[in-house]
Amino acid sequence: MPKSREPLSTRRVLQAALALADSGGTDSLSMRHLGRELGVEAMSLYRHVANKEAVLDGIVDLVVDEIDLPGDDSDWKAAMRRRGETAHRVLTRHPWAPALLMSRTNTGPAMLRYIDFTLGVLRGAGFSWRLADYAWNTMDSYVYGFTLRRLNFPIAAADYADTAAAYEYLLAGGRYPHMAELTRQVAEGHHPGDPDITFGLDLILDGLEHLRDREAAP
């Protein structure tokens, strides 16, 4: 056990739990393991966190707190784009987090601030409550899905061209002409084959702008 005797606090417990989750995923996170990491008996932790579920709620909120929210003077599309880009970077640092964000009711202060900020941006841009609600949920669904794909896709972006070249033989013979041509484009370096997150964010934002304007039209 570590020899540090810094007094326990809820924040110290959660920060240690966050480090454990980052290094080994949430399956490796137990109260006993967490106590060992902090140099205390597991029972001591219950003075600061109710149980493992409370720990998971707490570390999710710590992750959300890392997402940078733009200032109030930003253009709404720029603010929402930056929100999405920052969320993707943060979630990539904490690869266990997207699954928890999608599977839990998250009501920590950082999450509430995050959602309230987002609703404020959209309402300030003229979105109805209905569209504002649909908009932020659609944005987050895309960010979580894009991040999970990036984290789990078996081919690194730097290897796309070589991998495409290695699989071109499967598409020979003319049976799959469109796949064959796209693969050739990637293999020869004419097309990178992997968009960054802003491609989808801009598509969503442009579509939301259109819906807002159509709803507001007489």
Side-chain angles (χ1 to χ4, degrees):
M1 287 187 180
K3 295 181 180 179
S4 170
R5 283 299 173 187
E6 178 187 343
L8 278 185
S9 64
T10 301
R11 184 163 186 84
R12 185 180 170 217
V13 171
L14 293 178
Q15 286 175 331
L18 179 63
L20 286 175
D22 285 346
S23 62
T26 54
D27 288 344
S28 68
L29 182 58
S30 68
M31 300 300 276
R32 184 173 295 179
H33 190 182
L34 185 53
R36 247 192 338 264
E37 188 69 17
L38 289 163
V40 300
E41 295 297 327
M43 290 303 295
S44 302
L45 302 177
Y46 292 101
R47 299 175 187 171
H48 306 280
V49 289
N51 48 39
K52 181 179 176 179
E53 291 301 300
V55 171
L56 293 176
D57 288 341
I59 61 175
V60 165
D61 211 51
L62 287 180
V63 169
V64 174
D65 198 41
E66 294 179 21
I67 299 173
D68 183 36
L69 300 179
D72 294 337
D73 57 344
S74 298
D75 167 76
W76 76 269
K77 290 175 83 171
M80 292 297 289
R81 186 183 301 107
R82 179 175 169 187
R83 172 191 181 274
E85 291 170 338
T86 305
H88 170 60
R89 286 195 297 272
V90 169
L91 295 177
T92 300
R93 290 200 300 266
H94 307 287
W96 52 269
L100 284 189
L101 280 165
M102 292 186 293
S103 62
R104 305 176 72 80
T105 301
N106 302 295
T107 57
M111 176 59 81
L112 296 179
R113 177 179 62 88
Y114 180 66
I115 296 172
D116 191 71
F117 166 84
T118 303
L119 289 172
V121 169
L122 293 168
R123 287 288 292 158
F127 284 81
S128 66
W129 284 110
R130 180 182 70 89
L131 275 184
D133 186 37
Y134 290 171
W136 80 266
N137 278 286
T138 299
M139 293 277 293
D140 282 5
S141 295
Y142 170 67
V143 170
Y144 300 160
F146 183 93
T147 303
L148 283 170
R149 180 184 179 277
R150 274 287 178 89
L151 289 169
N152 293 288
F153 199 65
I155 305 168
D159 298 330
Y160 269 37
D162 288 344
T163 303
Y167 282 94
E168 279 189 290
Y169 76 95
L170 293 174
L171 305 172
R175 188 174 181 183
Y176 310 108
H178 306 297
M179 277 293 297
E181 178 57 25
L182 178 60
T183 301
R184 186 184 70 80
Q185 291 283 323
V186 175
E188 294 180 3
H190 304 306
H191 169 51
D194 185 39
D196 66 24
I197 195 168
T198 58
F199 179 82
L201 289 176
D202 286 340
L203 282 177
I204 293 170
L205 290 168
D206 288 346
L208 289 172
E209 185 174 41
H210 173 73
L211 289 174
R212 180 202 62 181
D213 294 347
R214 188 176 70 183
E215 187 175 76

